[in-house]
Coordinates of all heavy atoms in Angstrom, one line a residue:
M1 N -111.1 38.9 28.9 CA -111.2 38.4 30.3 C -111.1 36.9 30.3 O -111.7 36.2 29.5 CB -112.4 38.9 31.0 CG -112.5 38.6 32.4 SD -114.0 39.1 33.2 CE -113.9 40.9 33.1
Q2 N -110.4 36.4 31.2 CA -110.3 34.9 31.4 C -111.6 34.4 31.9 O -112.1 34.9 32.8 CB -109.1 34.6 32.3 CG -107.8 34.7 31.8 CD -106.7 34.3 32.8 OE1 -106.8 33.3 33.4 NE2 -105.7 35.2 33.0
K3 N -112.0 33.3 31.2 CA -113.2 32.6 31.6 C -113.2 32.2 33.1 O -114.1 32.4 33.8 CB -113.5 31.4 30.7 CG -114.9 31.0 30.7 CD -115.1 29.8 29.8 CE -116.5 29.3 29.9 NZ -116.6 27.9 29.4
G4 N -112.1 31.6 33.5 CA -111.9 31.1 34.9 C -112.1 32.2 35.9 O -112.6 31.9 37.0
I5 N -111.8 33.4 35.6 CA -111.9 34.5 36.5 C -113.4 35.0 36.6 O -114.0 35.2 37.6 CB -111.0 35.7 36.2 CG1 -109.5 35.2 36.5 CG2 -111.3 36.9 37.0 CD1 -108.5 36.2 36.1
Q6 N -114.0 35.1 35.4 CA -115.3 35.6 35.3 C -116.3 34.7 35.9 O -117.3 35.1 36.5 CB -115.7 35.9 33.9 CG -117.0 36.6 33.8 CD -117.4 37.0 32.4 OE1 -116.7 36.6 31.4 NE2 -118.4 37.8 32.2
M7 N -116.1 33.4 35.8 CA -117.1 32.4 36.1 C -116.7 31.6 37.4 O -116.9 30.4 37.6 CB -117.3 31.3 35.0 CG -117.8 31.9 33.7 SD -119.4 32.7 33.9 CE -120.4 31.3 34.0
S8 N -116.1 32.3 38.4 CA -115.7 31.7 39.6 C -116.9 31.4 40.6 O -117.9 32.2 40.6 CB -114.7 32.5 40.3 OG -113.5 32.6 39.5
S9 N -116.8 30.4 41.4 CA -117.8 30.1 42.4 C -117.3 30.5 43.7 O -116.1 30.4 44.1 CB -118.1 28.6 42.4 OG -118.7 28.2 41.1
Y10 N -118.3 30.9 44.6 CA -117.9 31.3 45.9 C -119.1 30.9 46.9 O -120.2 30.6 46.4 CB -117.6 32.8 46.0 CG -118.8 33.7 45.7 CD1 -119.6 34.3 46.7 CD2 -119.2 34.0 44.4 CE1 -120.7 35.1 46.4 CE2 -120.2 34.8 44.1 CZ -121.0 35.3 45.1 OH -122.1 36.2 44.8
I11 N -118.8 31.0 48.2 CA -119.8 30.6 49.1 C -120.4 31.9 49.7 O -119.7 32.9 50.1 CB -119.3 29.8 50.3 CG1 -118.6 28.6 49.8 CG2 -120.4 29.5 51.3 CD1 -117.7 27.8 50.8
C12 N -121.7 32.0 49.7 CA -122.4 33.2 50.3 C -122.2 33.3 51.8 O -122.4 32.3 52.5 CB -123.9 33.1 50.0 SG -124.9 34.3 50.9
E13 N -121.7 34.4 52.2 CA -121.3 34.6 53.6 C -122.6 34.6 54.5 O -122.5 34.4 55.7 CB -120.6 35.9 53.8 CG -119.2 36.0 53.2 CD -118.1 35.5 54.1 OE1 -118.4 35.0 55.2 OE2 -117.0 35.5 53.6
K14 N -123.7 34.9 54.0 CA -124.9 35.0 54.8 C -125.7 33.7 54.9 O -126.0 33.2 56.0 CB -125.9 36.1 54.2 CG -127.0 36.4 55.0 CD -127.8 37.6 54.5 CE -129.1 37.8 55.3 NZ -130.0 38.8 54.6
C15 N -125.9 33.0 53.8 CA -126.8 31.8 53.8 C -126.0 30.5 53.5 O -126.5 29.4 53.7 CB -128.0 31.9 52.9 SG -127.6 31.8 51.2
G16 N -124.7 30.6 53.0 CA -123.9 29.5 52.8 C -124.2 28.8 51.5 O -123.7 27.7 51.2
S17 N -125.0 29.4 50.6 CA -125.2 28.8 49.3 C -124.0 29.0 48.3 O -123.2 30.0 48.5 CB -126.5 29.3 48.6 OG -126.4 30.6 48.3
I18 N -123.8 28.2 47.4 CA -122.8 28.3 46.4 C -123.2 29.2 45.2 O -124.2 28.8 44.6 CB -122.3 26.9 45.9 CG1 -121.7 26.2 47.2 CG2 -121.2 27.1 44.9 CD1 -121.2 24.8 46.9
E19 N -122.6 30.2 45.0 CA -123.0 31.2 44.0 C -121.9 31.5 43.0 O -120.7 31.1 43.2 CB -123.4 32.5 44.7 CG -123.9 33.6 43.9 CD -125.1 33.3 43.0 OE1 -124.9 32.5 42.1 OE2 -126.1 33.9 43.3
N20 N -122.2 32.1 41.9 CA -121.3 32.4 40.8 C -121.0 33.9 40.8 O -121.9 34.7 40.9 CB -121.8 32.0 39.5 CG -120.8 32.0 38.4 OD1 -120.5 33.1 37.9 ND2 -120.3 30.9 38.0
T21 N -119.7 34.3 40.6 CA -119.3 35.7 40.7 C -120.0 36.5 39.6 O -120.2 37.7 39.7 CB -117.8 35.9 40.5 OG1 -117.4 35.2 39.4 CG2 -117.1 35.3 41.7
A22 N -120.4 35.9 38.5 CA -121.0 36.6 37.4 C -122.5 36.9 37.6 O -123.1 37.7 37.0 CB -120.8 35.8 36.1
L23 N -123.0 36.2 38.6 CA -124.5 36.3 38.8 C -125.0 36.9 40.2 O -126.0 37.4 40.3 CB -125.1 34.9 38.6 CG -124.9 34.3 37.3 CD1 -125.3 32.8 37.4 CD2 -125.8 35.0 36.2
G24 N -124.1 36.7 41.2 CA -124.6 36.9 42.6 C -124.4 38.2 43.2 O -124.8 38.4 44.3
G25 N -123.7 39.1 42.5 CA -123.4 40.4 43.1 C -122.1 40.5 43.9 O -121.8 41.4 44.7
Y26 N -121.2 39.5 43.6 CA -119.9 39.4 44.2 C -119.1 40.6 44.1 O -118.6 41.1 45.1 CB -119.2 38.2 43.6 CG -117.8 37.9 44.1 CD1 -117.6 37.1 45.2 CD2 -116.7 38.5 43.5 CE1 -116.3 36.8 45.7 CE2 -115.4 38.2 43.9 CZ -115.2 37.4 45.1 OH -114.0 37.2 45.5
W27 N -119.0 41.1 42.9 CA -118.1 42.3 42.7 C -118.6 43.5 43.3 O -117.9 44.4 43.8 CB -117.9 42.5 41.2 CG -117.3 41.3 40.5 CD1 -117.9 40.5 39.6 CD2 -116.0 40.7 40.8 NE1 -117.0 39.4 39.3 CE2 -115.8 39.6 40.0 CE3 -114.9 41.1 41.6 CZ2 -114.7 38.8 40.0 CZ3 -113.7 40.3 41.6 CH2 -113.7 39.2 40.8
K28 N -119.9 43.7 43.3 CA -120.6 44.8 44.0 C -120.3 44.7 45.5 O -120.0 45.7 46.1 CB -122.1 44.7 43.8 CG -122.9 45.7 44.5 CD -124.4 45.5 44.2 CE -125.3 45.8 45.4 NZ -125.0 47.1 46.0
N29 N -120.4 43.5 46.1 CA -120.1 43.4 47.5 C -118.7 43.8 47.9 O -118.5 44.4 48.9 CB -120.4 41.9 48.0 CG -121.8 41.5 47.9 OD1 -122.1 40.3 47.7 ND2 -122.7 42.4 48.1
L30 N -117.8 43.3 47.0 CA -116.4 43.7 47.2 C -116.2 45.2 47.1 O -115.5 45.8 48.0 CB -115.4 43.0 46.2 CG -115.2 41.5 46.4 CD1 -114.0 41.1 45.5 CD2 -114.9 41.1 47.8
R31 N -116.8 45.8 46.1 CA -116.7 47.2 45.9 C -117.2 48.0 47.1 O -116.7 49.0 47.6 CB -117.5 47.6 44.7 CG -116.9 48.7 43.9 CD -117.5 48.9 42.5 NE -118.9 48.6 42.4 CZ -119.5 47.7 41.6 NH1 -118.7 47.0 40.8 NH2 -120.8 47.6 41.5
D32 N -118.4 47.5 47.7 CA -119.0 48.1 48.8 C -118.4 47.7 50.1 O -118.8 48.1 51.2 CB -120.5 47.8 48.8 CG -121.2 48.3 47.6 OD1 -120.7 49.2 46.9 OD2 -122.3 47.8 47.4
K33 N -117.3 46.9 50.0 CA -116.6 46.4 51.2 C -117.6 45.7 52.2 O -117.6 45.8 53.4 CB -115.9 47.5 52.0 CG -114.8 48.2 51.1 CD -114.0 49.1 51.9 CE -112.8 49.8 51.2 NZ -112.7 49.5 49.8
K34 N -118.5 44.9 51.6 CA -119.5 44.1 52.4 C -119.1 42.6 52.2 O -118.4 42.2 51.3 CB -120.9 44.3 51.8 CG -121.4 45.7 52.0 CD -122.9 45.8 51.9 CE -123.4 47.1 52.4 NZ -124.6 47.6 51.7
P35 N -119.7 41.8 53.1 CA -119.5 40.3 53.0 C -120.0 39.9 51.6 O -121.0 40.4 51.2 CB -120.3 39.7 54.1 CG -120.5 40.8 55.1 CD -120.5 42.1 54.3
V36 N -119.4 38.9 51.0 CA -119.9 38.5 49.7 C -121.1 37.6 49.9 O -121.2 36.7 50.8 CB -118.8 37.7 48.9 CG1 -117.7 38.6 48.5 CG2 -118.3 36.5 49.6
M37 N -122.2 37.9 49.1 CA -123.4 37.2 49.3 C -124.0 36.7 48.0 O -123.5 37.2 46.9 CB -124.5 38.1 50.0 CG -124.1 38.6 51.4 SD -125.3 39.5 52.2 CE -125.2 41.1 51.3
C38 N -125.0 35.8 48.0 CA -125.5 35.3 46.8 C -126.6 36.2 46.2 O -126.9 37.3 46.8 CB -126.2 33.9 47.1 SG -127.6 34.0 48.1
S39 N -127.1 35.9 45.1 CA -128.1 36.8 44.4 C -129.4 36.9 45.3 O -129.9 38.0 45.4 CB -128.5 36.2 43.1 OG -129.0 34.9 43.2
E40 N -129.8 35.9 46.0 CA -131.0 36.0 46.8 C -130.7 36.9 48.0 O -131.6 37.7 48.4 CB -131.4 34.6 47.3 CG -132.8 34.6 48.0 CD -133.2 33.2 48.2 OE1 -133.2 32.3 47.3 OE2 -133.7 32.9 49.3
C41 N -129.6 36.8 48.7 CA -129.3 37.6 49.8 C -129.0 39.1 49.4 O -129.3 40.0 50.1 CB -128.1 37.1 50.6 SG -128.4 35.5 51.4
N42 N -128.5 39.2 48.2 CA -128.2 40.6 47.7 C -129.4 41.3 47.1 O -129.7 42.5 47.4 CB -127.1 40.5 46.6 CG -125.7 40.7 47.1 OD1 -125.5 41.6 48.0 ND2 -124.8 40.0 46.6
F43 N -130.2 40.5 46.3 CA -131.2 41.2 45.5 C -132.6 40.7 45.9 O -133.6 41.1 45.3 CB -130.9 40.9 44.0 CG -129.5 41.3 43.7 CD1 -128.7 40.3 43.1 CD2 -129.0 42.6 43.9 CE1 -127.4 40.6 42.7 CE2 -127.7 42.9 43.5 CZ -126.9 41.9 42.9
G44 N -132.8 39.7 46.8 CA -134.1 39.2 47.1 C -134.6 38.0 46.3 O -135.6 37.4 46.7
N45 N -133.9 37.7 45.2 CA -134.3 36.5 44.4 C -133.1 35.7 43.9 O -132.1 36.3 43.5 CB -135.1 37.0 43.2 CG -136.5 37.4 43.5 OD1 -137.3 36.6 44.0 ND2 -136.8 38.6 43.2
W46 N -133.3 34.4 43.9 CA -132.3 33.6 43.3 C -132.4 33.7 41.8 O -133.5 33.8 41.3 CB -132.5 32.1 43.8 CG -131.4 31.2 43.3 CD1 -131.6 30.2 42.3 CD2 -130.1 31.1 43.7 NE1 -130.4 29.6 42.1 CE2 -129.4 30.1 42.9 CE3 -129.3 31.8 44.7 CZ2 -128.1 29.7 43.1 CZ3 -128.0 31.4 44.9 CH2 -127.4 30.4 44.1
H47 N -131.3 33.7 41.1 CA -131.3 34.0 39.7 C -131.9 32.9 38.8 O -132.4 33.1 37.8 CB -129.9 34.3 39.2 CG -128.9 33.3 39.6 ND1 -128.9 32.0 39.3 CD2 -127.8 33.4 40.5 CE1 -127.9 31.4 39.9 NE2 -127.2 32.2 40.6
G48 N -131.8 31.7 39.3 CA -132.4 30.6 38.6 C -131.6 30.0 37.5 O -132.0 29.1 36.7
E49 N -130.4 30.5 37.3 CA -129.5 29.9 36.3 C -129.0 28.5 36.6 O -128.7 27.8 35.7 CB -128.3 30.8 36.1 CG -128.6 32.2 35.5 CD -129.1 32.2 34.1 OE1 -128.5 31.4 33.3 OE2 -130.0 33.0 33.8
F50 N -128.9 28.2 37.8 CA -128.6 26.9 38.3 C -129.2 26.7 39.7 O -129.6 27.7 40.3 CB -127.1 26.6 38.3 CG -126.3 27.6 39.0 CD1 -126.1 27.5 40.4 CD2 -125.7 28.6 38.4 CE1 -125.4 28.5 41.1 CE2 -124.9 29.6 39.0 CZ -124.7 29.5 40.4
P51 N -129.4 25.5 40.1 CA -130.1 25.3 41.4 C -129.3 25.9 42.6 O -128.1 25.8 42.6 CB -130.2 23.8 41.6 CG -130.0 23.2 40.2 CD -129.1 24.2 39.5
K52 N -130.0 26.4 43.6 CA -129.3 26.9 44.8 C -129.0 25.7 45.6 O -129.8 24.9 46.0 CB -130.3 27.8 45.5 CG -129.7 28.6 46.6 CD -130.7 29.5 47.3 CE -130.0 30.2 48.5 NZ -131.0 30.9 49.3
E53 N -127.7 25.6 46.0 CA -127.2 24.5 46.8 C -126.4 25.0 48.0 O -125.5 25.9 47.8 CB -126.3 23.6 46.0 CG -127.1 22.9 44.9 CD -126.1 22.0 44.0 OE1 -124.9 22.3 43.9 OE2 -126.6 21.0 43.5
H54 N -126.6 24.5 49.1 CA -125.8 24.9 50.3 C -124.5 24.2 50.2 O -124.4 23.0 49.8 CB -126.6 24.4 51.6 CG -126.0 25.1 52.8 ND1 -125.2 24.4 53.7 CD2 -126.2 26.3 53.4 CE1 -124.8 25.2 54.7 NE2 -125.4 26.3 54.5
W55 N -123.5 24.8 50.8 CA -122.1 24.3 50.7 C -122.0 22.9 51.3 O -121.2 22.1 50.9 CB -121.1 25.2 51.3 CG -121.2 25.4 52.8 CD1 -121.8 26.4 53.4 CD2 -120.7 24.5 53.8 NE1 -121.7 26.2 54.8 CE2 -121.0 25.1 55.0 CE3 -119.9 23.3 53.8 CZ2 -120.7 24.5 56.3 CZ3 -119.6 22.7 55.0 CH2 -120.0 23.3 56.2
S56 N -122.8 22.6 52.3 CA -122.7 21.4 53.1 C -123.1 20.2 52.2 O -122.8 19.0 52.5 CB -123.6 21.4 54.3 OG -125.0 21.6 53.9
K57 N -123.7 20.4 51.0 CA -124.0 19.3 50.1 C -122.7 18.7 49.6 O -122.6 17.5 49.3 CB -124.8 19.8 48.9 CG -125.1 18.8 47.9 CD -125.9 19.3 46.8 CE -126.1 18.1 45.7 NZ -126.9 18.6 44.6
Y58 N -121.6 19.5 49.6 CA -120.3 19.1 49.1 C -119.3 18.8 50.2 O -118.5 17.9 50.1 CB -119.7 20.1 48.1 CG -120.6 20.2 46.9 CD1 -121.5 21.3 46.8 CD2 -120.6 19.3 45.9 CE1 -122.4 21.5 45.8 CE2 -121.5 19.5 44.8 CZ -122.4 20.5 44.8 OH -123.2 20.7 43.7
G59 N -119.4 19.6 51.3 CA -118.6 19.4 52.4 C -117.3 20.2 52.4 O -116.9 20.6 51.4
V60 N -116.8 20.4 53.6 CA -115.6 21.2 53.7 C -114.4 20.7 52.9 O -113.8 21.5 52.2 CB -115.1 21.3 55.2 CG1 -113.8 22.0 55.4 CG2 -116.2 21.9 56.1
K61 N -114.1 19.4 53.0 CA -113.0 18.8 52.3 C -113.0 19.0 50.8 O -112.1 19.5 50.2 CB -112.9 17.3 52.7 CG -111.6 16.7 52.3 CD -111.5 15.3 53.0 CE -110.3 14.5 52.4 NZ -110.8 13.5 51.4
Q62 N -114.2 18.7 50.2 CA -114.4 18.8 48.8 C -114.2 20.3 48.3 O -113.5 20.6 47.3 CB -115.8 18.3 48.4 CG -116.1 18.5 46.9 CD -115.3 17.5 46.1 OE1 -115.6 16.3 46.0 NE2 -114.2 17.9 45.5
L63 N -114.8 21.2 49.0 CA -114.7 22.6 48.6 C -113.3 23.2 48.8 O -112.8 23.9 47.9 CB -115.7 23.4 49.5 CG -117.1 23.1 49.1 CD1 -118.1 23.6 50.1 CD2 -117.5 23.7 47.7
L64 N -112.5 22.7 49.8 CA -111.2 23.2 49.9 C -110.3 22.6 48.8 O -109.4 23.2 48.3 CB -110.6 22.7 51.3 CG -111.2 23.5 52.5 CD1 -110.6 22.9 53.8 CD2 -110.9 25.0 52.4
E65 N -110.6 21.4 48.4 CA -109.9 20.8 47.3 C -110.2 21.5 46.0 O -109.3 21.8 45.2 CB -110.3 19.3 47.1 CG -109.5 18.3 47.9 CD -110.0 16.9 47.9 OE1 -110.7 16.5 47.0 OE2 -109.8 16.2 48.9
W66 N -111.4 21.9 45.7 CA -111.7 22.7 44.5 C -111.0 24.0 44.6 O -110.5 24.5 43.5 CB -113.2 22.9 44.5 CG -114.0 21.7 44.0 CD1 -113.5 20.7 43.3 CD2 -115.4 21.5 44.1 NE1 -114.5 19.8 43.1 CE2 -115.7 20.3 43.5 CE3 -116.4 22.2 44.7 CZ2 -117.0 19.7 43.5 CZ3 -117.7 21.7 44.7 CH2 -118.0 20.5 44.1
E67 N -110.9 24.6 45.7 CA -110.2 25.9 45.8 C -108.8 25.8 45.5 O -108.2 26.6 44.8 CB -110.4 26.5 47.2 CG -109.9 27.9 47.3 CD -110.1 28.5 48.7 OE1 -110.2 27.7 49.7 OE2 -110.1 29.7 48.9
K68 N -108.2 24.6 45.9 CA -106.7 24.4 45.6 C -106.4 24.3 44.1 O -105.3 24.6 43.7 CB -106.3 23.1 46.3 CG -105.8 23.4 47.8 CD -105.1 22.2 48.4 CE -105.3 22.2 49.9 NZ -105.7 20.8 50.4
R69 N -107.4 23.9 43.4 CA -107.2 23.8 41.9 C -106.9 25.2 41.3 O -106.3 25.2 40.2 CB -108.5 23.3 41.2 CG -108.8 21.9 41.5 CD -109.9 21.5 40.5 NE -110.7 20.4 41.0 CZ -111.9 20.1 40.6 NH1 -112.5 20.9 39.8 NH2 -112.5 19.0 41.0
N70 N -107.4 26.2 42.0 CA -107.1 27.6 41.5 C -107.6 27.8 40.1 O -107.0 28.6 39.3 CB -105.5 27.8 41.4 CG -105.2 28.9 42.4 OD1 -106.0 29.7 42.7 ND2 -103.9 29.0 42.7
D71 N -108.7 27.2 39.7 CA -109.3 27.4 38.4 C -110.6 28.1 38.5 O -111.4 28.1 37.5 CB -109.4 26.0 37.7 CG -110.3 25.1 38.4 OD1 -110.9 25.4 39.5 OD2 -110.5 24.0 37.9
G72 N -111.0 28.5 39.6 CA -112.3 29.2 39.8 C -113.4 28.3 40.2 O -114.5 28.7 40.4
S73 N -113.1 27.0 40.4 CA -114.1 26.1 40.9 C -114.7 26.5 42.3 O -115.8 26.3 42.6 CB -113.5 24.7 41.1 OG -112.9 24.2 39.9
M74 N -113.8 27.2 43.0 CA -114.2 27.7 44.3 C -113.1 28.7 44.7 O -111.9 28.5 44.6 CB -114.2 26.5 45.4 CG -114.4 26.9 46.8 SD -115.8 28.1 47.1 CE -117.2 27.3 46.4
I75 N -113.5 29.9 45.2 CA -112.5 30.9 45.5 C -112.5 31.4 46.9 O -111.5 32.0 47.3 CB -112.7 32.1 44.5 CG1 -114.1 32.8 44.7 CG2 -112.4 31.8 43.1 CD1 -114.2 34.1 43.9
N76 N -113.5 31.1 47.7 CA -113.4 31.6 49.1 C -113.6 30.6 50.2 O -114.0 31.0 51.3 CB -114.4 32.8 49.2 CG -115.8 32.4 49.3 OD1 -116.2 31.3 48.8 ND2 -116.7 33.2 49.9
A77 N -113.5 29.3 49.9 CA -113.7 28.3 50.9 C -112.9 28.4 52.1 O -113.4 28.4 53.3 CB -113.6 26.9 50.3
T78 N -111.6 28.6 52.0 CA -110.7 28.7 53.1 C -111.1 29.9 54.0 O -111.2 29.7 55.2 CB -109.2 29.0 52.6 OG1 -108.8 27.9 51.8 CG2 -108.3 29.0 53.8
E79 N -111.3 31.0 53.4 CA -111.7 32.2 54.1 C -113.0 32.0 54.8 O -113.2 32.3 56.0 CB -111.8 33.4 53.1 CG -111.9 34.8 53.7 CD -112.2 35.8 52.7 OE1 -112.0 35.6 51.5 OE2 -112.7 36.9 53.1
Y80 N -114.0 31.4 54.1 CA -115.3 31.2 54.7 C -115.3 30.2 55.9 O -115.8 30.5 56.9 CB -116.2 30.6 53.6 CG -117.6 30.3 54.1 CD1 -118.6 31.3 54.1 CD2 -118.0 29.0 54.5 CE1 -119.9 31.0 54.6 CE2 -119.3 28.8 54.9 CZ -120.2 29.8 55.0 OH -121.5 29.5 55.4
F81 N -114.6 29.1 55.7 CA -114.5 28.1 56.8 C -113.7 28.6 57.9 O -114.0 28.2 59.1 CB -114.0 26.8 56.2 CG -115.0 26.1 55.2 CD1 -114.5 25.6 54.0 CD2 -116.3 26.0 55.5 CE1 -115.4 25.0 53.1 CE2 -117.2 25.5 54.6 CZ -116.8 24.9 53.4
H82 N -112.7 29.4 57.7 CA -111.9 30.0 58.8 C -112.9 30.8 59.6 O -112.9 30.8 60.9 CB -110.8 30.8 58.2 CG -109.5 30.1 58.2 ND1 -108.9 29.7 59.3 CD2 -108.7 29.8 57.2 CE1 -107.7 29.0 59.0 NE2 -107.6 29.1 57.6
R83 N -113.6 31.7 58.9 CA -114.5 32.6 59.7 C -115.6 31.8 60.5 O -116.0 32.2 61.6 CB -115.3 33.5 58.6 CG -115.6 34.9 59.2 CD -116.5 35.6 58.3 NE -116.0 35.8 56.9 CZ -115.1 36.6 56.5 NH1 -114.5 37.4 57.3 NH2 -114.8 36.7 55.2
K84 N -116.0 30.7 60.0 CA -117.0 29.8 60.6 C -116.3 28.9 61.7 O -117.0 28.2 62.4 CB -117.7 29.0 59.6 CG -118.5 29.7 58.6 CD -119.8 30.4 59.2 CE -120.4 31.2 58.1 NZ -121.5 32.0 58.7
G85 N -115.0 28.9 61.7 CA -114.3 28.1 62.7 C -114.3 26.6 62.3 O -114.1 25.8 63.2
L86 N -114.4 26.3 61.0 CA -114.5 24.9 60.6 C -113.2 24.4 60.1 O -113.0 23.2 60.0 CB -115.5 24.8 59.5 CG -117.0 25.0 59.9 CD1 -117.9 25.2 58.7 CD2 -117.5 23.9 60.8
V87 N -112.2 25.2 59.9 CA -110.8 24.8 59.6 C -109.8 25.5 60.4 O -110.1 26.6 60.9 CB -110.5 24.9 58.1 CG1 -111.2 23.9 57.2 CG2 -110.7 26.4 57.6
Ligands
ZN101 ZN1 -127.1 33.9 50.3

């Protein structure tokens, strides 16, 4: 498996924190056809592998730039901000 795919970052649809696909329950959410959420929203606890940060710490522009790199830095910023009416 490609590292970039396994270790992608995404924004939690519920609380807006930046989470990792390997830790947050991302694939389970997709499988269940639910909004993608972070470990805390999915399982009740933040995993503690890295600090929980809200997307607004980086801002819309930065996150969209990361997504454009297509390297897994960010995978759902466009979708998330569209849904929130921010882009
Ligand atoms: Zn969350």
Side-chain angles (χ1 to χ4, degrees):
M1 187 181 291
Q2 285 180 48
K3 199 177 174 198
I5 289 173
Q6 189 176 7
M7 299 298 288
S8 297
S9 296
Y10 64 100
I11 304 168
C12 171
E13 294 271 2
K14 189 172 173 191
C15 73
S17 66
I18 297 178
E19 180 57 290
N20 190 286
T21 53
L23 300 165
Y26 178 88
W27 302 111
K28 175 181 145 49
N29 292 152
L30 286 194
R31 213 166 40 237
D32 297 343
K33 301 190 179 357
K34 291 201 169 144
V36 294
M37 297 186 288
C38 68
S39 56
E40 191 170 311
C41 293
N42 267 320
F43 311 120
N45 282 303
W46 184 252
H47 49 64
E49 294 291 321
F50 53 83
K52 189 179 181 194
E53 294 177 331
H54 193 261
W55 67 264
S56 58
K57 180 176 177 183
Y58 300 98
V60 174
K61 191 164 170 262
Q62 179 72 79
L63 291 165
L64 290 175
E65 272 170 27
W66 283 341
E67 188 180 22
K68 272 190 207 135
R69 287 187 202 162
N70 241 343
D71 63 358
S73 305
M74 173 49 57
I75 57 173
N76 72 336
T78 302
E79 193 188 341
Y80 178 84
F81 293 134
H82 264 296
R83 212 191 305 281
K84 300 284 174 189
L86 293 167
V87 287

